[in-house]
Amino acid sequence: MADELEVSTNNLRLYIVGDIHGRSDLLDRIVDEINRDIEEFGSRESLAITLGDYVDRGPDSRGVLDRLSRNPFPTEYIALKGNHEVMFESFLYHNSNGAFWRELGGLETLQSYGVLINDLIVGKGVEEAANALNAAVPETHRTFLSSLKNSLTIGGYFFCHAGVRPNVPLDQQNERDLFWIRGEFLNSDRDFGKMVIHGHSPTEWPEVKPNRVNIDTGAFATGRLTCLVLEGGQSRFLFTG
């Protein structure tokens, strides 16, 4: 069953940020955009939500976790877990998935922590790299990672990293699907019971469907980090580029 967090009130302005992937510079810029949005539309009870995939691919995963672990947003904040955090923790705590993680951006994360990757590039030195990473990751990052939620429900919205499996109730979703699912979810036109807000599957611009909204705009490669703003049944987008 999913580790679901439910926020009872929906009388909120929500700022939902897509996949950051090691781009601390874009995180700083989207925080600036949120501050400007609050100035323009006024201060009210607000909540920031990040949808996971904070590490890998981009150059500064460490910087992203530094910022997120101390809440850079001008609001309350809830962070969800993505599949890249799953891989990061697997390598950090269990010295596993090294070869797989390496191919999906793990080398960039190791470099951001000052871990030498020359041997890993040729498939060697996995244990040494895991030990070096353990020595480099501060307790604040570990605490942040352990605090991540699998999913979040607010009013008529369901927030998760990758998506949900059709025909399975939202409160019974499997962790792996919440972190990894693509085709069966992306190709489904069924009503999931709530509007699903997700990332994980990069698109050039936000993808708005009748049953879901995808805000992963491939920030690590495009320079476009997206924030969806939900307020009073209306929506708008903030972008870094």
Side-chain angles (χ1 to χ4, degrees), residues 7 17 54 67 83 119 126 134 186 192 218 220 224 234 237:
V7 175
V17 178
Y54 313 118
R67 289 158 172 77
N83 60 306
D119 288 342
V126 173
N134 261 284
L186 297 175
F192 300 122
F220 74 94
R224 183 181 301 118
Q234 302 297 312
F237 292 99

Side-chain angles (χ1 to χ4, degrees), residues 26-41:
L26 300 183
L27 175 57
D28 291 342
R29 286 165 58 186
I30 207 68
V31 170
D32 289 343
E33 290 297 324
I34 291 171
N35 275 303
R36 279 191 283 270
D37 189 83
I38 290 173
E39 289 177 6
E40 179 177 354
F41 290 96

Side-chain angles (χ1 to χ4, degrees), residues 156-175:
Y157 299 101
F158 183 85
F159 304 90
C160 60
H161 175 64
V164 299
R165 184 162 297 278
N167 303 311
V168 176
L170 293 178
D171 62 354
Q172 296 179 29
Q173 291 289 320
N174 180 276
E175 282 187 6

Side-chain angles (χ1 to χ4, degrees), residues 16 46 88 96 101 118 120 137 169-171 178 180 216 224 226:
I16 307 101
S46 300
F88 179 81
S96 61
W101 184 48
N118 293 354
L120 274 179
V137 174
L170 293 178
D171 62 354
L178 292 172
W180 291 93
D216 179 5
R224 183 181 301 118
T226 296

Side-chain angles (χ1 to χ4, degrees), residues 77-200:
Y77 171 44
I78 295 174
L80 304 187
K81 179 181 284 190
N83 60 306
H84 284 262
E85 284 72 57
V86 173
M87 291 187 287
F88 179 81
E89 288 187 300
S90 292
F91 189 79
L92 180 65
Y93 294 121
H94 308 296
N95 189 9
S96 61
N97 287 342
F100 183 54
W101 184 48
R102 181 184 67 202
E103 298 300 320
L104 294 178
L107 294 179
E108 291 87 341
T109 296
L110 289 166
Q111 283 186 302
S112 78
Y113 281 97
V115 176
L116 299 177
I117 63 169
N118 293 354
D119 288 342
L120 274 179
I121 291 174
V122 294
K124 299 178 181 179
V126 173
E127 183 176 352
E128 291 80 1
N131 291 338
L133 182 64
N134 261 284
V137 174
E139 191 60 35
T140 52
H141 293 193
R142 298 171 188 267
T143 299
F144 173 74
L145 290 167
S146 70
S147 75
L148 300 179
K149 306 300 180 184
N150 293 351
S151 64
L152 170 67
T153 295
I154 300 176
Y157 299 101
F158 183 85
F159 304 90
C160 60
H161 175 64
V164 299
R165 184 162 297 278
N167 303 311
V168 176
L170 293 178
D171 62 354
Q172 296 179 29
Q173 291 289 320
N174 180 276
E175 282 187 6
R176 181 168 181 82
D177 288 331
L178 292 172
F179 300 148
W180 291 93
I181 198 168
R182 278 206 170 101
E184 189 170 351
F185 166 67
L186 297 175
N187 296 326
S188 176
D189 60 3
R190 70 172 287 114
D191 183 346
F192 300 122
K194 296 180 184 291
M195 178 67 76
V196 177
I197 312 297
H198 68 98
H200 184 60

